[in-house]
Amino acid sequence: METTREAIEFPAVKGNPALARLAARIGEISTLPEVVYRILTLVEDPDTGAAELTDAVRSDPALAMRVMRTVNSPYYGLEQKVSDLQQAIAILGFREIRNLALTAHVASLFHTSEGYKYYSRRGLWGHLVATGMVARLIAQTTGRIPPHEAYLAGLLHDLGLILLDQYAHSSFCRVVDALQPDRPTCQVEMEVLGFTHAELGQTVAGQWNLPEHLSAAIGFHHQPEGCQGAYRALVCAIAVANFLCHRQEVTSLGVANIPLPPPEIFAELNLGREELNQIVAQLEKALRSADMMAVLHVR
């Protein structure tokens, strides 16, 4: 998937002082680590070799350990234990290493989270991983999107919720207080904050220079009809995956309040009744796998 920037209309930070202030404060405290930025750059370069990526990963011992733990986890089910980092990277693939690097950074943002009412860190991570897994399933079923990109976009789609919890916790708690099954989270956020977690997440993703397709998924996953262009199918897949996870009570904040996406979102993905039934039939297995991967991600 192309990662060059295209003309997409995102929420204007300049027109929302509250959003601009919070995004600026986050930008002063949290930046994308150099090793993650380097890995992002290497993975997008077709001339990158395994040795170069291995050197980048090795420069961060915690990430190297995460790579080794992942490749030797029951999820991958390898018959023999892998002990060489470059071999592990070859098995997992370059984009999976990128996914692990970004995931490790986002996981580190949870350093003070203790949960509140229906919300818990574990619950949100479970939802993020599940949405990534289901988005990958949708990608594999439809053939419209690279599965590894669908997974990462699903994993990052609620970045704004993590940021709200960590950097505007009292306001975040007021949002949780007002949640109801018949009130979408974004509606509550607009009333309490004046902006949504999708807008905040997209803004910070831009500050971190994340690829544009990831910013699109983060910014438009609650309003996929607003995204046009090359990333529309990806955004639609994340919206459908998010809805399916909520329908299975695998929620972001502990309340299942995501409405059914409009018919045109399913049509964009060519998801008819037969394709949806195929995905639903595999949901239970995907959610079990998500539980396994969530444990790896938060360590």
Side-chain angles (χ1 to χ4, degrees):
M1 177 169 289
E2 294 290 336
T3 57
T4 54
R5 296 192 173 273
E6 69 170 52
I8 292 181
E9 291 187 5
F10 286 116
V13 179
K14 291 182 180 179
N16 193 319
L19 174 58
R21 284 194 300 271
L22 180 56
R25 184 157 63 88
I26 293 171
E28 292 172 358
I29 300 170
S30 177
T31 59
L32 202 64
E34 179 61 31
V35 64
V36 179
Y37 185 78
R38 184 181 172 200
I39 288 171
L40 280 172
T41 304
L42 287 172
V43 168
E44 295 306 322
D45 183 350
D47 294 327
T48 295
E52 291 176 276
L53 189 58
T54 301
D55 287 343
V57 173
R58 190 175 283 124
S59 71
D60 185 330
L63 177 59
M65 287 180 62
R66 181 181 288 261
V67 169
M68 298 307 298
R69 187 170 63 240
T70 298
V71 77
N72 288 303
S73 70
Y75 177 78
Y76 282 91
L78 300 180
E79 292 184 2
Q80 293 186 329
K81 185 177 178 65
V82 177
S83 57
D84 178 72
L85 181 60
Q86 187 162 323
Q87 182 186 3
I89 289 173
I91 292 170
L92 294 176
F94 282 21
R95 293 194 179 274
E96 180 62 19
I97 299 304
R98 176 207 60 181
N99 292 2
L100 286 172
L102 274 171
T103 301
H105 174 60
V106 175
S108 72
L109 299 176
F110 270 119
H111 54 85
T112 62
S113 178
E114 295 179 356
Y116 178 74
K117 284 194 171 179
Y118 328 102
Y119 163 73
S120 71
R121 167 189 172 178
R122 184 179 180 85
L124 177 54
W125 264 119
H127 171 72
L128 294 177
V129 176
T131 302
M133 291 281 194
V134 176
R136 181 162 61 192
L137 190 57
I138 292 171
Q140 292 167 340
T141 301
T142 64
R144 295 288 308 281
I145 315 144
H148 51 261
E149 299 297 347
Y151 176 77
L152 183 58
L155 195 68
L156 297 179
H157 78 284
D158 274 338
L159 171 64
L161 290 177
I162 302 172
L163 296 171
L164 283 173
D165 177 24
Q166 296 303 305
Y167 298 104
H169 188 69
S170 60
S171 297
F172 174 79
C173 290
R174 284 162 47 214
V175 170
V176 175
D177 284 335
L179 289 178
Q180 296 176 15
D182 60 348
R183 298 188 72 208
T185 300
C186 288
Q187 178 184 332
V188 174
E189 289 170 335
M190 286 302 298
E191 295 172 3
V192 174
L193 306 171
F195 58 86
T196 70
H197 69 276
E199 292 173 315
L200 176 62
Q202 180 271 319
T203 302
V204 173
Q207 293 174 345
W208 289 351
N209 290 318
L210 292 186
E212 190 75 358
H213 64 282
L214 296 179
S215 292
I218 292 167
F220 286 103
H221 66 277
H222 284 293
Q223 50 174 18
E225 63 279 2
C227 181
Q228 304 298 327
Y231 310 137
R232 180 172 169 82
L234 174 66
V235 171
C236 290
I238 302 307
V240 172
N242 192 29
F243 164 73
L244 291 174
C245 287
H246 271 254
R247 197 180 75 162
Q248 296 295 316
E249 300 292 330
V250 182
T251 66
S252 52
L253 299 179
V255 177
N257 61 350
I258 300 296
L260 177 70
E264 59 264 29
I265 303 307
F266 293 92
E268 172 68 30
L269 296 166
N270 294 322
L271 279 178
R273 185 181 299 274
E274 181 178 345
E275 290 79 13
L276 276 173
N277 286 340
Q278 181 181 342
I279 290 169
V280 169
Q282 299 177 71
L283 267 182
E284 185 176 347
K285 180 180 179 180
L287 294 177
R288 284 200 305 269
S289 296
D291 283 340
M292 189 182 301
M293 289 303 292
V295 172
L296 287 172
H297 284 324
V298 298
R299 285 182 181 175

XYZ file of all heavy atoms in Angstrom, residues 1-6 8-11 32 36-37 39-41 43-44 94-106 128 131-132 135-136 145-160 163 197-222 227-239:
715
model
N 0.850 -1.196 0.000
C 0.000 0.000 0.000
C 0.877 1.234 0.000
O 1.867 1.310 0.718
C -0.913 0.001 1.238
C -1.775 1.242 1.364
S -3.044 1.069 2.640
C -4.141 -0.110 1.845
N 0.500 2.217 -0.822
C 1.272 3.453 -0.893
C 1.236 4.194 0.437
O 0.205 4.264 1.089
C 0.697 4.366 -1.987
C 0.854 3.814 -3.393
C 2.280 3.815 -3.860
O 3.062 4.621 -3.334
O 2.615 3.021 -4.744
N 2.363 4.746 0.825
C 2.414 5.510 2.060
C 2.718 6.977 1.810
O 2.925 7.736 2.726
C 3.492 4.940 3.003
O 4.748 4.958 2.322
C 3.164 3.530 3.409
N 2.761 7.382 0.527
C 2.930 8.799 0.230
C 1.654 9.536 0.564
O 0.562 8.977 0.537
C 3.254 8.993 -1.258
O 2.257 8.348 -2.039
C 4.616 8.403 -1.597
N 1.788 10.847 0.832
C 0.639 11.621 1.267
C -0.239 11.993 0.081
O 0.238 12.396 -0.955
C 1.096 12.876 2.021
C 1.815 12.511 3.296
C 2.013 13.704 4.194
N 2.564 13.260 5.456
C 1.842 12.843 6.477
N 0.539 12.833 6.406
N 2.408 12.442 7.585
N -1.542 11.865 0.253
C -2.480 12.282 -0.770
C -3.439 13.281 -0.145
O -3.489 13.450 1.075
C -3.242 11.093 -1.349
C -4.211 10.440 -0.390
C -5.104 9.443 -1.099
O -4.564 8.581 -1.795
O -6.334 9.534 -0.963
N -6.253 14.338 1.494
C -7.384 13.869 2.278
C -7.743 14.964 3.263
O -6.867 15.563 3.878
C -7.044 12.581 3.056
C -6.850 11.424 2.085
C -8.145 12.230 4.035
C -6.544 10.118 2.758
N -9.021 15.226 3.410
C -9.446 16.255 4.353
C -9.583 15.649 5.735
O -10.452 14.834 5.986
C -10.779 16.867 3.914
C -10.669 17.697 2.646
C -11.963 18.413 2.336
O -12.893 18.338 3.165
O -12.044 19.030 1.269
N -8.688 16.036 6.640
C -8.768 15.619 8.024
C -9.343 16.755 8.853
O -9.328 17.912 8.438
C -7.377 15.257 8.560
C -6.855 13.949 8.046
C -5.725 13.897 7.264
C -7.511 12.774 8.342
C -5.242 12.694 6.797
C -7.038 11.562 7.888
C -5.902 11.521 7.107
N -9.824 16.481 10.049
C -10.328 17.546 10.916
C -9.270 18.626 11.115
O -8.102 18.333 11.349
C -10.639 16.821 12.227
C -10.869 15.406 11.829
C -9.942 15.159 10.663
N 7.722 9.894 18.416
C 8.035 8.557 17.925
C 9.523 8.289 18.144
O 10.367 9.075 17.708
C 7.699 8.474 16.433
C 7.467 7.085 15.844
C 6.249 6.438 16.487
C 7.270 7.190 14.338
N 11.971 3.410 16.083
C 10.726 3.108 15.379
C 10.694 3.849 14.043
O 10.323 3.284 13.005
C 9.506 3.491 16.238
C 8.215 3.207 15.486
C 9.525 2.729 17.554
N 11.088 5.117 14.071
C 11.123 5.889 12.835
C 12.087 5.249 11.832
O 11.796 5.168 10.633
C 11.536 7.330 13.125
C 11.475 8.222 11.908
C 10.260 8.718 11.438
C 12.640 8.557 11.212
C 10.194 9.519 10.316
C 12.583 9.360 10.081
C 11.359 9.841 9.642
O 11.300 10.619 8.524
N 12.947 2.087 11.640
C 12.357 0.845 11.131
C 11.278 1.149 10.104
O 11.177 0.478 9.059
C 11.808 -0.003 12.299
C 12.976 -0.602 13.086
C 10.883 -1.111 11.794
C 12.572 -1.288 14.373
N 10.434 2.151 10.367
C 9.417 2.554 9.391
C 10.064 2.898 8.054
O 9.593 2.490 6.988
C 8.643 3.766 9.906
C 7.527 3.524 10.924
C 7.005 4.852 11.459
C 6.401 2.732 10.296
N 11.164 3.656 8.111
C 11.858 4.071 6.890
C 12.471 2.881 6.170
O 12.350 2.747 4.942
C 12.959 5.090 7.231
O 12.373 6.201 7.933
C 13.640 5.593 5.964
N 11.603 -0.320 6.304
C 10.597 -1.248 5.777
C 9.994 -0.731 4.474
O 9.652 -1.514 3.574
C 9.498 -1.499 6.834
C 8.309 -2.218 6.231
C 10.069 -2.313 7.993
N 9.879 0.600 4.339
C 9.311 1.164 3.117
C 10.337 1.267 1.984
O 9.965 1.579 0.845
C 8.727 2.551 3.408
C 7.548 2.542 4.359
C 6.437 1.606 3.931
O 6.175 1.508 2.701
O 5.833 0.950 4.801
N 9.322 -8.359 7.257
C 9.655 -6.969 7.557
C 8.467 -6.195 8.118
O 8.604 -5.413 9.058
C 10.175 -6.273 6.296
C 11.608 -6.597 5.961
C 12.230 -7.738 6.460
C 12.346 -5.764 5.137
C 13.541 -8.039 6.153
C 13.671 -6.044 4.822
C 14.262 -7.190 5.329
N 7.300 -6.369 7.530
C 6.150 -5.565 7.966
C 5.653 -5.989 9.347
O 5.117 -5.175 10.091
C 5.040 -5.603 6.923
C 5.450 -4.913 5.635
C 4.333 -4.610 4.695
N 4.852 -3.925 3.517
C 5.047 -2.611 3.429
N 4.761 -1.843 4.470
N 5.529 -2.073 2.325
N 5.844 -7.238 9.691
C 5.493 -7.662 11.047
C 6.448 -7.034 12.060
O 6.029 -6.670 13.166
C 5.529 -9.179 11.161
C 5.173 -9.720 12.534
C 3.759 -9.376 12.982
O 2.917 -9.024 12.130
O 3.497 -9.459 14.200
N 7.705 -6.870 11.681
C 8.653 -6.193 12.566
C 8.243 -4.739 12.744
O 8.277 -4.193 13.856
C 10.088 -6.280 11.995
C 10.526 -7.747 11.876
C 11.062 -5.504 12.871
C 10.450 -8.543 13.168
N 7.848 -4.089 11.660
C 7.331 -2.731 11.763
C 6.124 -2.675 12.691
O 6.010 -1.795 13.541
C 6.949 -2.211 10.373
C 6.295 -0.833 10.359
C 5.382 -0.650 9.171
N 4.308 -1.627 9.160
C 3.385 -1.689 8.205
N 3.426 -0.864 7.190
N 2.425 -2.605 8.262
N 5.212 -3.635 12.524
C 4.023 -3.679 13.374
C 4.401 -3.816 14.849
O 3.836 -3.151 15.719
C 3.123 -4.843 12.962
C 2.497 -4.640 11.593
O 2.756 -3.650 10.916
N 1.679 -5.591 11.171
N 5.371 -4.691 15.132
C 5.800 -4.889 16.514
C 6.444 -3.626 17.091
O 6.221 -3.282 18.256
C 6.788 -6.061 16.596
C 6.189 -7.461 16.443
C 7.304 -8.500 16.341
C 5.275 -7.792 17.608
N 7.226 -2.926 16.277
C 7.889 -1.711 16.752
C 6.871 -0.633 17.095
O 6.954 0.012 18.149
C 8.868 -1.202 15.694
N 5.886 -0.427 16.220
C 4.852 0.565 16.487
C 3.989 0.157 17.682
O 3.633 0.984 18.526
C 3.969 0.750 15.249
C 4.478 1.749 14.211
C 3.643 1.666 12.945
C 4.455 3.160 14.766
N 3.675 -1.115 17.762
C 2.862 -1.606 18.862
C 3.564 -1.416 20.194
O 2.949 -1.013 21.192
C 2.538 -3.103 18.663
O 1.843 -3.263 17.433
C 1.656 -3.622 19.797
N 4.866 -1.688 20.223
C 5.626 -1.522 21.460
C 5.588 -0.079 21.927
O 5.442 0.203 23.127
C 7.070 -1.967 21.244
N 5.694 0.865 20.982
C 5.653 2.272 21.367
C 4.280 2.658 21.905
O 4.174 3.316 22.945
C 6.010 3.162 20.182
C 5.842 4.620 20.489
N 6.545 5.252 21.493
C 5.025 5.566 19.946
C 6.183 6.525 21.542
N 5.270 6.735 20.624
N 3.225 2.242 21.210
C 1.874 2.589 21.663
C 1.587 1.939 23.016
O 0.985 2.551 23.902
C 0.830 2.179 20.610
C -0.584 2.424 21.119
C 1.047 2.961 19.322
N -8.221 -3.603 20.576
C -7.332 -3.178 19.498
C -6.791 -4.376 18.725
O -6.801 -4.397 17.488
C -6.168 -2.361 20.073
C -6.521 -1.015 20.710
C -5.270 -0.373 21.301
C -7.165 -0.089 19.719
N -9.639 -6.046 16.766
C -10.003 -5.285 15.576
C -8.972 -5.496 14.476
O -9.320 -5.641 13.295
C -10.125 -3.786 15.904
O -11.105 -3.609 16.927
C -10.561 -2.990 14.675
N -7.691 -5.544 14.856
C -6.656 -5.828 13.875
C -6.825 -7.205 13.252
O -6.715 -7.369 12.031
N -9.936 -7.161 11.015
C -9.649 -6.386 9.805
C -8.796 -7.206 8.836
O -9.011 -7.162 7.611
C -8.943 -5.087 10.170
N -7.841 -7.949 9.371
C -7.024 -8.815 8.512
C -7.882 -9.899 7.869
O -7.712 -10.225 6.691
C -5.885 -9.439 9.320
C -4.982 -10.331 8.475
C -3.642 -10.581 9.155
N -3.767 -11.250 10.428
C -2.760 -11.371 11.298
N -1.578 -10.830 11.020
N -2.927 -12.006 12.433
N -7.372 -5.246 0.277
C -6.396 -4.533 1.095
C -5.294 -5.517 1.493
O -5.579 -6.685 1.782
C -7.055 -4.005 2.394
C -8.394 -3.366 2.092
C -6.145 -3.034 3.129
C -9.414 -3.619 3.171
N -4.036 -5.068 1.584
C -2.988 -5.944 2.120
C -3.300 -6.323 3.567
O -3.516 -5.436 4.401
C -1.726 -5.071 2.040
C -2.025 -4.050 0.986
C -3.489 -3.777 1.103
N -3.355 -7.602 3.887
C -3.737 -8.016 5.244
C -2.868 -7.432 6.350
O -3.373 -7.078 7.416
C -3.606 -9.543 5.187
C -3.881 -9.876 3.755
C -3.241 -8.756 2.977
N -1.536 -7.294 6.118
C -0.682 -6.769 7.178
C -0.978 -5.298 7.456
O -0.810 -4.834 8.580
C 0.801 -6.952 6.820
C 1.181 -6.457 5.467
N 1.308 -7.291 4.384
C 1.457 -5.203 5.004
C 1.649 -6.575 3.318
N 1.735 -5.304 3.670
N -1.425 -4.560 6.429
C -1.780 -3.161 6.645
C -3.116 -3.062 7.374
O -3.308 -2.174 8.220
C -1.844 -2.405 5.314
C -0.545 -2.378 4.541
C 0.579 -1.658 5.271
O 0.319 -0.966 6.276
O 1.734 -1.787 4.834
N -4.040 -3.946 7.049
C -5.333 -3.961 7.739
C -5.141 -4.270 9.215
O -5.776 -3.644 10.083
C -6.256 -4.994 7.091
N -4.262 -5.206 9.510
C -4.009 -5.562 10.916
C -3.444 -4.375 11.690
O -3.917 -4.045 12.785
C -3.043 -6.748 10.996
C -2.666 -7.085 12.419
C -3.546 -7.770 13.246
C -1.436 -6.684 12.943
C -3.217 -8.059 14.559
C -1.099 -6.968 14.258
C -1.991 -7.654 15.057
O -1.662 -7.921 16.364
N -2.430 -3.722 11.133
C -1.802 -2.609 11.845
C -2.777 -1.446 12.009
O -2.841 -0.822 13.077
C -0.553 -2.141 11.111
C 0.232 -1.022 11.795
C 0.658 -1.435 13.203
C 1.453 -0.632 10.966
N -3.552 -1.153 10.977
C -4.538 -0.072 11.071
C -5.568 -0.376 12.151
O -5.964 0.511 12.919
C -5.219 0.136 9.719
N -5.999 -1.630 12.227
C -6.941 -2.013 13.281
C -6.320 -1.889 14.661
O -6.961 -1.448 15.615
N -5.055 -2.241 14.762
C -4.357 -2.174 16.045
C -4.201 -0.742 16.538
O -4.208 -0.484 17.745
C -2.989 -2.826 15.907
C -2.244 -3.180 17.189
C -2.954 -4.298 17.934
C -0.813 -3.608 16.865
N -4.097 0.201 15.607
C -3.849 1.600 15.970
C -5.097 2.477 15.935
O -5.021 3.654 16.289
C -2.802 2.202 15.021
C -1.400 1.589 15.030
C -0.511 2.301 14.015
C -0.777 1.659 16.413
N -6.245 1.943 15.514
C -7.380 2.817 15.209
C -7.854 3.644 16.399
O -8.311 4.771 16.243
C -8.537 2.001 14.615
C -9.342 1.224 15.624
N -8.892 0.048 16.199
C -10.563 1.458 16.168
C -9.797 -0.400 17.043
N -10.823 0.427 17.043
N -7.734 3.119 17.612
C -8.169 3.853 18.798
C -6.997 4.483 19.549
O -7.043 4.640 20.774
C -8.955 2.934 19.745
C -10.437 2.865 19.383
O -10.937 3.790 18.716
O -11.097 1.889 19.778
N -5.971 4.868 18.821
C -4.840 5.570 19.433
C -5.316 6.760 20.263
O -4.799 7.023 21.354
C -3.881 6.054 18.336
C -2.748 6.992 18.769
C -1.793 6.287 19.730
C -1.994 7.519 17.547
N -6.327 7.469 19.778
C -6.831 8.637 20.485
C -7.359 8.318 21.868
O -7.241 9.146 22.789
N -4.429 8.051 24.202
C -3.891 9.387 24.481
C -4.792 10.149 25.450
O -4.305 10.838 26.355
C -3.738 10.167 23.178
C -2.737 9.580 22.178
C -2.824 10.308 20.841
C -1.319 9.639 22.724
N -11.927 11.206 19.888
C -10.656 10.476 19.969
C -10.093 10.209 18.579
O -8.879 10.100 18.403
C -10.828 9.164 20.748
C -11.642 8.124 20.040
N -13.016 8.091 20.075
C -11.268 7.058 19.269
C -13.464 7.058 19.375
N -12.416 6.416 18.871
N -10.970 10.082 17.576
C -10.498 9.873 16.204
C -9.732 11.095 15.715
O -8.675 10.972 15.079
C -11.680 9.575 15.285
N -10.233 12.291 16.010
C -9.550 13.519 15.613
C -8.215 13.664 16.340
O -7.200 14.026 15.735
C -10.449 14.724 15.902
C -11.687 14.782 15.015
C -12.638 15.893 15.427
O -12.905 16.037 16.642
O -13.115 16.620 14.535
N -8.209 13.369 17.631
C -6.973 13.463 18.399
C -5.948 12.446 17.893
O -4.769 12.771 17.697
C -7.248 13.237 19.882
C -6.014 13.222 20.796
C -5.295 14.563 20.766
C -6.404 12.839 22.218
N -6.382 11.214 17.699
C -5.469 10.177 17.235
C -4.874 10.501 15.880
O -3.667 10.322 15.657
N -5.702 11.000 14.958
C -5.208 11.354 13.629
C -4.213 12.509 13.695
O -3.196 12.521 12.995
C -6.386 11.709 12.721
C -5.988 12.101 11.305
C -5.709 13.588 11.186
O -6.425 14.405 11.759
N -4.679 13.934 10.444
N -4.488 13.472 14.569
C -3.593 14.621 14.709
C -2.221 14.191 15.215
O -1.180 14.602 14.678
C -4.205 15.662 15.663
O -5.480 16.078 15.164
C -3.306 16.876 15.797
N -2.199 13.346 16.242
C -0.921 12.890 16.795
C -0.220 11.951 15.816
O 1.011 11.984 15.694
C -1.143 12.221 18.166
C 0.158 11.597 18.676
C -1.662 13.249 19.166
N -0.974 11.149 15.090
C -0.365 10.297 14.058
C 0.366 11.154 13.033
O 1.446 10.789 12.551
C -1.434 9.445 13.376
N -0.206 12.307 12.704
C 0.470 13.234 11.799
C 1.728 13.808 12.418
O 2.757 13.945 11.747
N 1.678 14.126 13.714
C 2.868 14.635 14.404
C 3.976 13.598 14.418
O 5.168 13.943 14.382
C 2.501 15.028 15.843
C 1.563 16.223 15.934
C 1.118 16.493 17.365
O 1.274 15.660 18.250
N 0.529 17.658 17.584
N 3.595 12.334 14.486
C 4.575 11.252 14.493
C 5.034 10.861 13.084
O 5.855 9.949 12.933
C 3.990 10.014 15.171
C 3.814 10.133 16.646
C 4.261 11.138 17.453
C 3.146 9.199 17.497
N 3.906 10.883 18.762
C 3.226 9.710 18.816
C 2.478 8.005 17.279
C 2.659 9.042 19.907
C 1.912 7.338 18.351
C 2.009 7.850 19.667
N 4.447 11.495 12.072
C 4.769 11.166 10.671
C 4.452 9.716 10.324
O 5.183 9.070 9.557
C 6.245 11.465 10.363
C 6.543 12.947 10.341
O 5.773 13.737 9.804
N 7.647 13.337 10.952
N 3.373 9.193 10.887
C 2.943 7.854 10.496
C 2.456 7.892 9.050
O 1.986 8.930 8.567
C 1.808 7.369 11.398
C 2.147 7.080 12.856
C 0.949 6.462 13.566
C 3.354 6.148 12.979
N 2.544 6.779 8.341
C 2.066 6.747 6.960
C 0.603 7.207 6.852
O -0.198 6.978 7.749
C 2.205 5.266 6.577
C 3.314 4.774 7.433
C 3.159 5.501 8.740
N 0.295 7.843 5.741
C -1.009 8.474 5.571
C -2.171 7.488 5.654
O -3.246 7.826 6.138
C -1.049 9.210 4.231
C -2.246 10.114 4.031
C -2.162 11.415 4.811
O -1.192 11.627 5.549
O -3.080 12.225 4.648
N -1.973 6.250 5.189
C -3.092 5.307 5.243
C -3.435 4.951 6.691
O -4.605 4.714 7.006
C -2.796 4.043 4.425
C -1.651 3.224 4.913
N -0.344 3.547 4.688
C -1.630 2.061 5.623
C 0.451 2.635 5.216
N -0.310 1.724 5.801
N -2.444 4.948 7.576
C -2.728 4.695 8.991
C -3.444 5.891 9.612
O -4.382 5.726 10.403
C -1.440 4.394 9.744
C -0.696 3.119 9.319
C 0.585 2.959 10.131
C -1.591 1.892 9.486
N -3.014 7.100 9.265
C -3.699 8.298 9.747
C -5.153 8.311 9.292
O -6.046 8.713 10.039
C -2.985 9.559 9.241
O -1.712 9.694 9.828
N -5.395 7.873 8.059
C -6.766 7.834 7.545
C -7.625 6.864 8.353
O -8.765 7.173 8.717
C -6.754 7.432 6.073
N -7.074 5.679 8.637
C -7.831 4.684 9.410
C -8.129 5.189 10.816
O -9.229 5.007 11.342
C -7.053 3.375 9.466
N -7.147 5.850 11.422
C -7.328 6.394 12.774
C -8.360 7.516 12.763
O -9.230 7.608 13.632
C -5.976 6.894 13.326
C -5.035 5.709 13.579
C -6.171 7.692 14.616
C -3.588 6.112 13.828
N -8.288 8.386 11.762
C -9.151 9.559 11.727
C -10.567 9.309 11.278
O -11.486 10.037 11.668
N -10.780 8.271 10.447
C -12.095 8.089 9.837
C -12.804 6.793 10.213
O -13.827 6.463 9.618
C -11.970 8.148 8.304
C -11.752 9.532 7.766
C -10.493 9.941 7.357
C -12.800 10.432 7.665
C -10.279 11.209 6.853
C -12.606 11.706 7.160
C -11.345 12.103 6.756
N -12.292 6.048 11.191
C -12.902 4.739 11.437
C -14.335 4.827 11.957
O -15.083 3.852 11.873
C -12.034 3.882 12.369
C -11.909 4.396 13.765
N -11.006 5.370 14.134
C -12.566 4.058 14.909
C -11.107 5.606 15.429
N -12.045 4.827 15.932
N -14.746 5.984 12.489
C -16.139 6.160 12.903
C -16.980 6.851 11.844
O -18.204 6.909 11.991
C -16.211 6.959 14.212
C -15.840 6.155 15.415
N -16.600 5.095 15.881
C -14.763 6.234 16.251
C -16.027 4.576 16.952
N -14.911 5.238 17.187
N -14.238 9.418 4.055
C -12.910 9.189 3.477
C -13.056 8.781 2.015
O -13.743 7.807 1.702
C -12.171 8.095 4.249
S -10.507 7.763 3.624
N -12.422 9.530 1.145
C -12.429 9.214 -0.277
C -10.996 8.947 -0.731
O -10.044 9.313 -0.064
C -13.023 10.380 -1.071
C -14.420 10.790 -0.645
C -15.453 9.697 -0.827
O -15.345 8.885 -1.763
N -16.450 9.661 0.045
N -10.853 8.294 -1.868
C -9.521 8.088 -2.413
C -8.969 6.706 -2.143
O -9.707 5.758 -1.842
N -7.650 6.604 -2.203
C -6.979 5.304 -2.189
C -7.143 4.549 -0.883
O -6.981 3.328 -0.848
C -5.489 5.501 -2.482
N -7.456 5.222 0.212
C -7.495 4.576 1.520
C -8.915 4.229 1.971
O -9.103 3.752 3.083
C -6.825 5.469 2.574
C -5.470 5.975 2.159
C -5.105 7.293 2.395
C -4.560 5.138 1.502
C -3.859 7.766 2.007
C -3.315 5.607 1.105
C -2.968 6.921 1.361
O -1.739 7.384 0.969
N -9.876 4.486 1.130
C -11.271 4.293 1.535
C -11.570 2.839 1.907
O -12.223 2.568 2.913
C -12.217 4.756 0.417
C -13.699 4.590 0.743
C -14.569 5.253 -0.321
N -15.964 4.888 -0.173
C -16.812 5.454 0.682
N -16.376 6.412 1.480
N -18.062 5.065 0.748
N -11.080 1.890 1.111
C -11.355 0.481 1.402
C -10.760 0.078 2.752
O -11.399 -0.640 3.529
C -10.805 -0.406 0.290
N -9.556 0.546 3.052
C -8.927 0.244 4.335
C -9.761 0.807 5.478
O -10.022 0.120 6.476
C -7.516 0.817 4.387
C -6.791 0.694 5.736
C -6.520 -0.758 6.075
C -5.485 1.496 5.722
N -10.178 2.055 5.354
C -10.981 2.688 6.402
C -12.296 1.934 6.593
O -12.727 1.705 7.735
C -11.238 4.174 6.055
C -12.259 4.784 7.011
C -9.935 4.962 6.110
N -12.926 1.540 5.508
C -14.177 0.777 5.607
C -13.957 -0.553 6.312
O -14.796 -0.988 7.119
C -14.769 0.549 4.214
S -15.420 2.044 3.427
N -12.839 -1.215 6.029
C -12.546 -2.492 6.677
C -12.382 -2.312 8.180
O -12.870 -3.145 8.973
C -11.281 -3.106 6.081
N -11.739 -1.225 8.609
C -11.562 -0.976 10.039
C -12.906 -0.670 10.685
O -13.193 -1.131 11.801
C -10.580 0.186 10.274
C -9.229 -0.119 9.623
C -10.404 0.440 11.766
C -8.616 -1.444 10.007
N -13.757 0.082 9.995
C -15.082 0.396 10.535
C -15.910 -0.868 10.735
O -16.569 -1.042 11.769
C -15.811 1.370 9.606
